[in-house]
Amino acid sequence: MSLFGAMISGVSGLNAQSQNLGVISDNISNLNTVGYKGTVGRFSTLVTESATNTRYTPGGVRFHPTALISKQGLLQATSSNTAAAISGDGFFVVRDTNTPGSDNEIFFTRAGDFKPDDDGYLRNTAGYYVQGWATDRNGVLLDPTGTPTTSNSSAISDLQVLDINSILTAAASTTTIEFGANLNANETPLTGGSDVSTTLGIDGTAALAGQAGIAAGDSFDITYNGTTTTITINAGETLADIAAEISAVTGVIATATATGTNDTLTITGSFADQDVVITNNNNTPLTALGFTGPFPATLAATYTGGNLASGAVAENNTMPVTIYDSLGTAHVVQLQVIKLGQNRWGFELTGTTAAGELDATQHPNGLIQSGVITFNGDGSLRTFTDNAGTDLLDQEITANWTNGSNPNEITLDLGTVGLTNGITQFGAGSDSNGNLVEYDTRFINQNGAQAGSMVNYGFTEDGFLQVEFANGVKRPIYKLAIATFEAPDEMENYTGNVYRQTRESGDYLLREPGLNGAGNVVASALESSNVDLAEEFTNMIVTQRAYSANTKTITTTDEMLDELIRIKR
């Protein structure tokens, strides 16, 4: 039995080494296959259970081909803009059709030698079409319905075959306008609402109590921005003293004359866009002084949002900029500003309501947005709000057109709060020629463009398929999906240098390049085969010798059997 077992064991060795040679030959033949992952031969023993402590029954050897799928191959640069390689873990998601349905199988590959076919779909040399997420112009991932979606999931239905012909011509509507300019801190502000007393016979140099029926202890209230302050007329206080007490109140300024005859008190709002309310409190000192009633009386703001657009108030400075709608049509809008008080400016973004321009119903007098800009004492930006006080930083402002284009959703970028990298407020300066420059516009940038045809396309280092148009616009249209597995070496090889998911490999997860464990995409590069030719030749020699040794086992066993048979003869 042991002689036949030895022969059978030798045969199993021949079979195992033959298969190992097949692995080696396959590795060598795919030495130049992009993204190919080599296989190594591993062996394990076959032990016969009938073996005892005094007897040995040969078993043999079992061959185990082990794929080195997770082993990184060398990355090499290429001139193709649509070639991509993965540095790190993960696989490109591919299909064998450019119009996959739910019943089409999903494959995974490291072969990123993608090129467009006749219809513009990207596929590799083996004919597999690469998939990814569609994106908006800002790179936000979208599902096939255009709804924002996320990665780090297994939602294969969110992916699409990458199609460079999906956008052949495009216009870039303006979504951001950046302003860098200095507003003159020394500008005379627009005067706020004001009221002047008119009672005759007031002596501003004498104690106010006792004149015009005013008594010590009489008081009145001043309300500004929701806060009420009470001013009390004390014995011995003059009209100038009362003016100083009023001026100490935020939002209001008072001045008094002191001629000794028919003196007056003037109360004025500090900020042109804010109302100030004055009200008799104890007795009627405001009435006695001759302020215009009835009380409460409002010192009405002299500026409200839209006054610049209507022409009711003249602006201090205008900064025009050309923007573009979704059809690529150019429109000129202006950022107009007016100083409303100390460190406080009103702004209006305006345009025209001519044919094809702003919708006059939604934008009366061409007003797109109005609001208030305030500054810190060091000239840096403090707040940027609408007239109701709502923060406009990073908020979209809508411009509606009458030419059939979609509305523009625009973010005004005036800089960073607390910094001087956008709109600032410093005193007027001089140019290189010594000329006074009250308002200095440093830059105005916007991200829109007129319509242009596609002139170039390619992958970026972030994994986006980016298209460049003749108008200079570059925008992402897709982003490559990277699939990761818990045990990638357990995946199943399939024709075309692709792999299938197996139970042992675990389920795939779709991730963006470089995030959550996925490798980075290297644009205009290809991953070479991870086969080491020197190692393969060495293994080939070892395999050949092992094969020869196994044949010796068989021929020796044959000779021993021949001797055994001759005993009977």
Side-chain angles (χ1 to χ4, degrees), residues 372-375 381-385 391 393 417:
V372 176
I373 308 169
T374 66
F375 296 92
L381 181 66
R382 183 178 182 183
T383 63
F384 174 49
T385 67
D391 195 349
L393 292 171
V417 170

Side-chain angles (χ1 to χ4, degrees), residues 265-278:
L265 177 67
T266 302
I267 303 175
T268 305
S270 299
F271 303 105
D273 62 325
Q274 299 286 337
D275 291 341
V276 176
V277 178
I278 55 176

Side-chain angles (χ1 to χ4, degrees), residues 181-193:
N182 182 62
L183 309 184
N184 183 12
N186 300 322
E187 180 68 71
T188 301
L190 182 66
T191 303

Side-chain angles (χ1 to χ4, degrees), residues 10 60 108 145 178 181 190-191 224 239 263-264 272 311-312 378 380 415 471 489 493 510 544 565:
F108 308 92
T145 66
E178 299 175 341
L190 182 66
T191 303
Y224 165 77
L239 200 61
D263 286 318
T264 60
D378 62 357
S380 62
N471 54 17
D489 288 341
N493 278 297
L510 302 178
Q544 181 184 8
I565 292 172

Side-chain angles (χ1 to χ4, degrees), residues 116-253:
D117 65 5
D118 293 341
D119 297 318
Y121 296 103
L122 290 185
R123 66 177 181 178
N124 63 15
T125 302
Y128 287 93
Y129 295 88
V130 65
Q131 292 205 301
W133 294 278
T135 68
D136 65 13
R137 61 182 295 178
N138 297 315
V140 176
L141 306 185
L142 306 174
D143 66 17
T145 66
T147 303
T149 186
T150 59
S151 61
N152 202 28
S153 71
S154 58
I156 196 69
S157 59
D158 284 351
L159 303 185
Q160 303 177 47
V161 174
L162 273 56
D163 178 13
I164 63 172
N165 289 343
S166 59
I167 301 180
L168 294 177
T169 302
S173 60
T174 298
T175 61
T176 301
I177 307 176
E178 299 175 341
F179 288 95
N182 182 62
L183 309 184
N184 183 12
N186 300 322
E187 180 68 71
T188 301
L190 182 66
T191 303
S194 185
D195 201 353
V196 182
S197 64
T198 59
T199 300
L200 299 179
I202 294 292
D203 182 356
T205 62
L208 188 58
Q211 300 187 62
I214 300 173
D218 289 354
S219 64
F220 56 92
D221 292 337
I222 297 177
T223 302
Y224 165 77
N225 200 26
T227 300
T228 299
T229 303
T230 299
I231 305 296
T232 302
I233 302 173
N234 298 310
E237 289 185 328
T238 65
L239 200 61
D241 293 331
I242 299 302
E245 291 182 31
I246 294 173
S247 297
V249 177
T250 301
V252 65
I253 298 174

Side-chain angles (χ1 to χ4, degrees), residues 275-343:
D275 291 341
V276 176
V277 178
I278 55 176
T279 310
N280 285 313
N281 182 15
N282 182 33
N283 295 324
T284 58
L286 292 174
T287 305
L289 286 170
F291 283 101
T292 305
F295 297 98
T298 299
L299 311 183
T302 56
Y303 167 83
T304 57
N307 283 168
L308 301 182
S310 67
V313 176
E315 75 278 2
N316 294 137
N317 190 45
T318 297
M319 290 171 276
V321 56
T322 299
I323 65 172
Y324 298 87
D325 61 28
S326 60
L327 299 179
T329 302
H331 305 273
V332 176
V333 298
Q334 300 89 21
L335 183 67
Q336 298 178 298
V337 294
I338 182 170
K339 191 171 185 180
L340 302 175
Q342 189 177 72
N343 297 336

